[in-house]
Structures are given as structure tokens and as C-alpha cells.
Amino acid sequence: MSQILSPGTKAPEFKLNVTPDQKLSLNELKGKPVILAFYPADWSPVCSDQMALYNEILPEFHKFDAELLGISIDSYWCHTAFAESRNLHFPLLADFEPKGAVAKKYGAYQEKLGVCERALFVIDKEGTIVWSYLSPMGENPGADGILEALERLSKKKKS
Amino acid sequence: MNLKVPVAVSDHSQGPEDAPIILIEYGDYECPYCGRAFPEIKKVEKHFGSNLRFIFRNFPLREIHPYAEAAAEAAEFAATKGVFWEMHDNIYLNQRLLSIPTLIKLAEELNLSIADLERTIEKRAYESKIQKDFLGGIKSGVNGTPTFFINDQRYDGPPTFNSIVASIEANVK
């Protein structure tokens, strides 16, 4: 398994396609907590469950003013079809060319299989990673860790 | 993973309160895997008899299952009339036909008010209870449906009679 970036690290900047003519950069989301969910592939059963689950929890993430981004090496056409079929309400970024470049920066690229690891990062509004988790590839990591990290962030802000 | 929300009186429960085995399901009425698990759970309940208490909590995946929430509302509504388990069971038994007319038909069979059911679904009368179940599930590490907990420990095996019984026998002394 890969060695992913750990809390305290500055989150590497990226700019990736969401749709054929729309790109999104991490920088644009400054001022808000960001959840990055790297996952191996659109359509595979576990991923679908994981993304479907996050889609349901989206209103909870938004309560913390957090933005969720899914990232895989699939192309934006594939992402578009996948998001439409699952009714997803958050952006899926295409780490497609050069393949896995962003995942590699986060230590979340599985060289042997040529896909992203199933890795989660919570980034604070200043752009620092505050929580990260590498899940076994075949396992849906759920959202409890993400919610706990967001809760800690919002408490820190208040105190 | 451990259950973060302890069993409470507001839970829908079958079996004695002091049963040594507590099996909790986080389920979605429209989820086909929950549908397949339904008869398996019935067998597990029968197998352990009064040694097991079964609890069902809502975990509707609304974005992929258009009737999951309406079904959860119907079951919660039935609960207020003392027929939660009848409604719960009948929804799973008719899962392939799940729709608003099906829920109305099931309510009719239980002599529940159709008008009240329609109002419940329309106004999402039990949304806060359903959402509370859902969030508690997320915090406890529920990552899909069905997810089971055996005495507060998440059970990650297949939702089949043999496997659940084996896990209970291995873990509950």
C-alpha cells in the first residue's frame, strides 16, 4: 500500500477537469474545508457504494461548509456518465492526463494497478491537510472519519 | 467499528429487552441486498428465539432509491399505530413492487388511514427520526446497506443465516 500525505502537510495544489470544458482547482476552494476522496474507478461496486453514500451525506458535509471532491483516473466523459447514473451532486475530478499525477502528489497512486488508492483527505480552509486515511482498496471506508475531522475543525474554529 | 448510538426505547425492537444477543440492522426498504437479507434475519431470529433481540434502524439511500424514504415514513407511521413490524415485513415481502400505491395498499391491509399515510409521506412527518437513525449509522461506520451490529460490534460478513449465526456463536458467550 502507498504512503499517503499525513496531517500537517500543505495540500498539493491541482487543477483538473470536472467536465470537458470545466476545470476546478484546489485554490478556488480556499476559505472552505475540502474533502478529497480518491477512489480506484467509476462503476466498480465498492466505489459506487462509497460515492453513493457520500452523496447522501452531502448535506451533513455542507453543514460544515465543506466541499467534497471525488478523484479517480477516469476521464471526464466517464465521470459525467457515472455522476448522471448515480445522481451525484458533487464534482468528480479526472486525474487522467498525465495519468494519476495528482494522486501521486498525495501518495495515493497504486502503481501496480494503475489506479488511485481509496484514500481520504480533509483539508482545512487554509489548505493544510488535517486528516488522512488510506483504506484497503476493496473496502468502503464510510464517512465517520471525515465527519469526526470536520467536527474537530469546527470546534477549533470556535475556541 | 463500534456502535455509537446505544439502543433506546425509541428503537423498533423485537425480542426480550434482556436478551443476551442484540442484532441491529441499518437498512433501506428499497435496497435489494436488504431484501435478500430479510428472510435470513427471520431465520436468525427463529434460531435464537428469546435469546435474541432484533432492532431495525433506518438508513435510506434516497438518491439511488426513490421510494426508500416514503417506505421508511410508512413504517414509522405504522409504528405509531403499533404495527411497525407488520409494515416493515410487508414492505420487504413486496419490495419488487415498491411504490406509493403499494405502500397505500399495505396500509389498507393493516387498517391504517390512507389519508394519514399520504399526509405523512407528503410532509415527511418522521424525517427527523429517520435522519437521526441515518446519522447515527454514519458515525458508527455504516457504509452501505444492510449493515449489522452484533452486540455493538459491526458485523462485516455476508448477510446470510449461516454466517450471522456463526459469528454470533463465536462472539457472544
Side-chain angles (χ1 to χ4, degrees), chain A:
Chain A
M1 272 167 82
S2 312
Q3 186 72 40
I4 57 166
L5 294 185
S6 48
T9 316
K10 188 96 188 134
E13 175 58 21
F14 56 77
K15 189 169 193 171
L16 291 173
N17 276 83
V18 180
T19 63
D21 45 22
Q22 189 199 351
K23 282 184 184 242
L24 184 68
S25 69
L26 182 61
N27 208 19
E28 285 169 59
L29 298 172
K30 218 160 208 176
K32 285 177 163 200
V34 174
I35 305 152
L36 292 186
F38 288 91
Y39 64 101
D42 290 344
W43 308 107
S44 89
V46 175
C47 310
S48 317
D49 284 344
Q50 188 190 357
M51 293 304 129
L53 181 75
Y54 293 174
N55 201 32
E56 302 287 343
I57 309 167
L58 216 47
E60 292 304 316
F61 294 156
H62 288 165
K63 279 185 195 161
F64 294 97
D65 201 30
E67 290 294 332
L68 168 67
L69 309 175
I71 304 183
S72 79
I73 44 102
D74 295 286
S75 76
Y76 43 74
W77 294 113
C78 187
H79 275 339
T80 305
F82 180 60
E84 270 175 22
S85 107
R86 299 293 193 272
N87 213 14
L88 300 181
H89 303 300
F90 58 91
L92 298 178
L93 306 187
D95 197 7
F96 181 69
E97 183 57 40
K99 189 184 173 198
V102 173
K104 282 172 191 163
K105 285 191 201 170
Y106 282 81
Y109 192 69
Q110 184 22 280
E111 297 279 353
K112 222 173 169 179
L113 298 171
V115 294
C116 296
E117 292 275 8
R118 202 177 294 284
L120 299 171
F121 296 86
V122 173
I123 300 165
D124 71 10
K125 58 182 169 47
E126 282 85 34
T128 303
I129 296 169
V130 293
W131 179 80
S132 62
Y133 177 73
L134 177 64
S135 171
M137 205 164 260
E139 210 170 274
N140 178 347
D144 49 302
I146 299 174
L147 281 179
E148 278 167 23
L150 291 173
E151 266 163 27
R152 278 197 302 274
L153 268 185
S154 75
K155 271 182 201 149
K156 215 169 91 187
K157 200 170 62 189
K158 274 171 206 149
S159 61

Side-chain angles (χ1 to χ4, degrees), chain B residues 52-147:
Chain B
L52 182 136
R53 185 179 185 197
F54 176 59
I55 285 164
F56 182 88
R57 288 177 174 170
N58 296 294
F59 202 84
L61 298 174
R62 302 169 175 93
E63 297 286 346
I64 47 172
H65 296 146
Y67 298 112
E69 186 172 22
E73 287 282 348
E76 291 298 331
F77 166 67
T80 63
K81 311 290 173 196
V83 284
F84 171 81
W85 290 105
E86 289 80 352
M87 182 60 101
H88 168 96
D89 291 4
N90 287 338
I91 293 173
Y92 277 121
L93 292 169
N94 292 278
Q95 194 189 43
R96 278 157 206 259
L97 304 170
L98 189 56
S99 65
I100 303 295
T102 299
L103 292 171
I104 290 173
K105 192 177 131 257
L106 298 179
E108 216 166 15
E109 284 168 13
L110 293 169
N111 293 320
L112 301 175
S113 156
I114 305 301
D116 286 354
L117 174 71
E118 285 174 331
R119 213 171 302 126
T120 298
I121 292 172
E122 192 196 312
K123 293 203 184 311
R124 303 166 85 187
Y126 299 99
E127 190 192 4
S128 68
K129 181 180 193 300
I130 294 166
Q131 191 60 15
K132 205 175 128 226
D133 278 0
F134 183 84
L135 267 181
I138 297 283
K139 288 179 180 160
S140 301
V142 173
N143 53 16
T145 52
T147 293

